[in-house]
Amino acid sequence: KQEVTQIPAALSVPEGENLVLNCSFTDSAIYNLQWFRQDPGKGLTSLLLIQSSQREQTSGRLNASLDKSSGRSTLYIAASQPGDSATYLCAVKGLTGGGNKLTFGTGTQLKVEL
Amino acid sequence: SQTIHQWPATLVQPVGSPLSLECTVEGTSNPNLYWYRQAAGRGLQLLFYSVGIGQISSEVPQNLSASRPQDRQFILSSKKLLLSDSGFYLCATGPVGFYTEAFFGQGTRLTVV
């Protein structure tokens, strides 16, 4: 059974700092990995999708990498801003199982302070 | 791009009352549809998914049921709510193929009192 872990559970950084969020998964047989952002009381917003054949994806100040063999992904946020404060979740889509289901981590709660 | 509508945004219901949460999707056809629940401080739990009209798969035994009467409509229901049904309910689409993204609605905060 796939398990997804995100460390740290919470992170507080000063504005302008570059930071890395970690996501690890136990079963490397995946199709893709997706990073989401969730603001308090809101739904999930998709940030980046990395296919299993890819090493990284970039969108603006965000860069996500994937090392499928070691079961790890990182989300790099450059020059963090207070508006980046949110919970970040990663999810993997496994090769097995029906319904194209995702397995989610429990998230990293990020606070960027002025 | 896809848009997922969920309503209501918040709901307070007494124990034993019925529930109906609706989700509709725009911008795609024949989507896979999902209902998740997010409890405070916990991850997302997949409750139901549907690959087509009338086709519902349940992930966990519970007090809830789901229906898909139309291609882009997904409904979460309960005949009698329990306190443990409180949580944040999210409707999502996709991924349909193996290489597509999942998209989420804005969620419904349900409090059972």
Side-chain angles (χ1 to χ4, degrees):
Chain A
K1 179 185 174 184
Q2 178 76 270
E3 292 183 2
V4 181
T5 304
Q6 291 187 248
I7 295 174
L11 181 63
S12 181
V13 300
E15 182 181 14
E17 189 163 301
N18 301 325
L19 57 98
V20 174
L21 307 181
N22 297 295
C23 171
S24 61
F25 46 95
T26 55
D27 186 350
S28 62
I30 65 169
Y31 275 112
N32 59 48
L33 183 145
Q34 194 167 354
W35 281 94
F36 296 88
R37 167 186 173 139
Q38 185 176 28
D39 293 292
K42 302 295 184 182
L44 278 66
T45 300
S46 179
L47 298 174
L48 290 164
L49 174 71
I50 311 178
Q51 307 296 349
S52 60
S53 59
Q54 297 175 322
R55 298 286 293 185
E56 64 180 74
Q57 281 285 348
T58 299
S59 176
R61 294 182 294 107
L62 304 179
N63 176 278
S65 67
L66 174 65
D67 184 343
K68 194 176 67 169
S69 60
S70 67
R72 294 184 179 184
S73 176
T74 61
L75 180 65
Y76 175 83
I77 303 176
S80 58
Q81 304 170 358
D84 294 329
S85 298
T87 296
Y88 291 81
L89 297 113
C90 66
V92 298
K93 176 174 159 45
L95 290 175
T96 58
N100 296 326
K101 291 175 282 187
L102 299 177
T103 303
F104 282 85
T106 52
T108 293
Q109 188 173 5
L110 172 66
K111 183 176 182 181
V112 181
E113 299 174 319
L114 291 169
Chain B
S1 63
Q2 297 180 30
T3 303
I4 303 169
H5 301 282
Q6 275 188 255
W7 65 92
T10 60
L11 190 60
V12 180
Q13 292 284 96
V15 169
S17 63
L19 172 74
S20 180
L21 301 181
E22 187 163 346
C23 168
T24 59
V25 179
E26 294 179 358
T28 187
S29 59
N30 195 29
N32 285 357
L33 295 173
Y34 305 80
W35 278 112
Y36 290 88
R37 177 169 58 202
Q38 189 176 35
R42 301 180 63 181
L44 274 78
Q45 179 186 35
L46 178 63
L47 302 176
F48 300 95
Y49 68 91
S50 172
V51 299
I53 296 173
Q55 301 179 61
I56 308 294
S57 296
S58 175
E59 287 296 293
V60 293
Q62 59 205 317
N63 186 41
L64 302 168
S65 62
S67 62
R68 184 170 178 177
Q70 300 180 43
D71 180 46
R72 288 173 285 179
Q73 183 184 28
F74 204 23
I75 298 172
L76 183 68
S77 304
S78 174
K79 293 182 179 178
K80 291 185 178 182
L81 284 169
L82 306 172
L83 288 174
S84 58
D85 292 324
S86 294
F88 191 51
Y89 289 83
L90 290 157
C91 178
T93 67
V96 175
F98 294 127
Y99 303 107
T100 57
E101 295 175 78
F103 294 94
F104 282 77
Q106 288 301 297
T108 295
R109 172 71 60 191
L110 171 65
T111 303
V112 182
V113 296

